[in-house]
């Protein structure tokens, strides 16, 4: 067990505090974990076992941020997290992404360079509306599927410090914790990030050391809630603790 770092009190992930070391191992397992897959190409008589990524880190988080306006490449990035789209759904997501461009620009302008967790509470409250970050995020959350999850994934990939991800599993984990006056489920995420500032600061730093690339605390929160809510946390932790990086990193000292 890791010592000297605070546990994470995340009601959206479960009733008990999440040990800091468990959280770090889960993040490492999500990023580096592999699973066996039997593969056979069309020109092979016999297949063979290969190791493939167990989760979506390489297909989504590690992908470079596209340059220029939102476009086709952003849809491809979102597919890396949420799965392939059929032609009709792809066209619908692409059109929704075009429509979301001005909303994303207004959202970034309202944030004025601040990260999501640095925003004042009024930005995630109906009392501060109209024009708040929370109102813009709620509007994106009202898109039909598959536009909702793919568009927000594309926007999160562009601004991982500002736009929370939307997924049915994490929504189900988050919505019971709404309070009167919240502009949407993003307000719940905002509260948990603010309440665990020290733990997430340390987790960001340690994850960057282990992975060689940063993940924002907004993405880390999403990962922990998703892994917990889909019963994948134990698998991710086991994969993380088995990784070479876990054993040679000072951040993972037991």
């Amino acid at each position: 067990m890791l010592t000297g770092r605070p546990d994470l009190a995340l009601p959206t992930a479960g009733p008990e505090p999440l040990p800091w070391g468990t959280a770090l191992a889960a993040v490492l397992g999500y990023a580096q974990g592999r699973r066996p897959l039997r593969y056979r190409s069309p020109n092979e008589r016999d297949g063979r076992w290969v190791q493939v990524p167990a989760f979506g880190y390489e297909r989504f988080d590690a992908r470079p941020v596209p340059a220029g306006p939102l476009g086709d490449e952003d849809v491809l990035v979102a597919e890396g997290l949420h799965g392939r789209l059929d032609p009709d759904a792809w066209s619908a997501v692409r059109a929704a992404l075009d429509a979301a461009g001005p909303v994303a620009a207004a959202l970034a302008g309202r944030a004025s360079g601040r990260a999501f967790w640095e925003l004042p509470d009024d930005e995630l409250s109906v009392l501060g509306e109209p024009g708040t970050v929370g109102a813009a995020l709620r509007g994106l959350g009202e898109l039909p599927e598959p536009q909702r999850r793919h568009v927000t994934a594309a926007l999160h990939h562009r601004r991982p410090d500002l736009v929370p991800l939307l997924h049915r599993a994490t929504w189900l984990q988050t919505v019971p914790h709404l309070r009167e006056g919240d502009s949407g489920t993003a307000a719940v995420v905002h509260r948990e990030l603010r309440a665990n500032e020290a733990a997430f600061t340390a987790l960001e730093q340690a994850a960057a050391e282990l992975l060689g690339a940063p993940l924002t605390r907004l993405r880390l929160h999403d990962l922990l809630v998703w892994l917990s809510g889909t019963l994948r946390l134990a698998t991710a932790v086991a994969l993380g603790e088995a990784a070479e990086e876990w054993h040679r990193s000072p951040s993972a000292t037991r």
Side-chain angles (χ1 to χ4, degrees):
M1 177 182 295
L2 301 181
T3 59
R5 298 175 176 92
D7 294 344
L8 292 94
L10 303 176
T12 54
E16 302 298 329
L18 187 65
W20 191 91
T22 299
L24 180 59
V27 171
L28 178 60
Y30 179 88
Q32 303 291 2
R34 297 291 185 271
R35 65 178 180 87
L37 176 71
R38 188 71 176 175
Y39 172 78
R40 184 174 70 85
S41 65
N43 61 346
E44 287 182 313
R45 176 175 297 178
D46 299 317
R48 63 188 188 278
W49 287 104
V50 296
Q51 294 290 318
V52 300
F55 299 106
Y57 175 81
E58 293 185 6
R59 300 188 304 271
F60 179 70
D61 299 282
R63 289 283 299 272
V65 177
L70 293 165
D72 293 355
E73 192 172 352
D74 295 282
V75 181
L76 295 175
V77 168
E79 284 185 313
L81 184 66
H82 291 310
R84 296 291 299 273
L85 297 161
D86 63 41
D88 290 341
W90 202 97
S91 297
V93 168
R94 184 64 182 83
L97 197 60
D98 284 339
V103 178
L107 192 156
R110 178 78 179 198
S112 300
R114 295 169 294 184
F116 178 78
W117 54 91
E118 296 172 337
L119 297 172
D121 293 343
D122 282 352
E123 285 295 324
L124 284 305
S125 169
V126 295
L127 299 178
E129 296 182 10
T132 61
V133 168
L137 293 174
R138 186 176 65 246
L140 293 172
E142 291 171 351
L143 290 169
E145 291 292 6
Q147 293 97 305
R148 177 167 59 237
R149 62 179 183 271
H150 282 74
V151 167
T152 55
L155 296 181
H156 172 83
H157 190 256
R158 288 274 187 149
R159 288 295 306 270
D161 63 337
L162 183 60
V163 180
L165 282 165
L166 286 176
H167 189 280
R168 178 168 174 76
T170 53
W171 181 85
L172 289 172
Q173 292 287 106
T174 305
V175 73
H177 301 279
L178 283 168
R179 297 177 183 172
E180 185 176 359
D182 286 346
S183 59
T185 54
V188 180
V189 177
H190 184 258
R191 272 196 298 275
E192 292 193 351
L193 290 175
R194 296 285 288 269
N196 295 273
E197 181 177 0
F200 273 112
T201 297
L203 191 61
E204 275 185 333
Q205 294 171 350
E209 291 174 4
L210 288 174
L211 303 179
L215 286 175
T216 69
R217 65 191 65 187
L218 186 56
R219 177 61 169 140
L220 293 172
H221 180 278
D222 174 77
L223 284 179
L224 296 175
V225 175
W226 180 77
L227 290 169
S228 298
T230 57
L231 304 182
R232 292 176 170 92
L233 183 65
T235 297
V237 170
L239 290 170
E241 291 181 341
E244 292 183 7
E245 293 88 345
W246 180 259
H247 297 284
R248 66 170 182 254
S249 172
S251 296
T253 301
R254 296 173 189 272

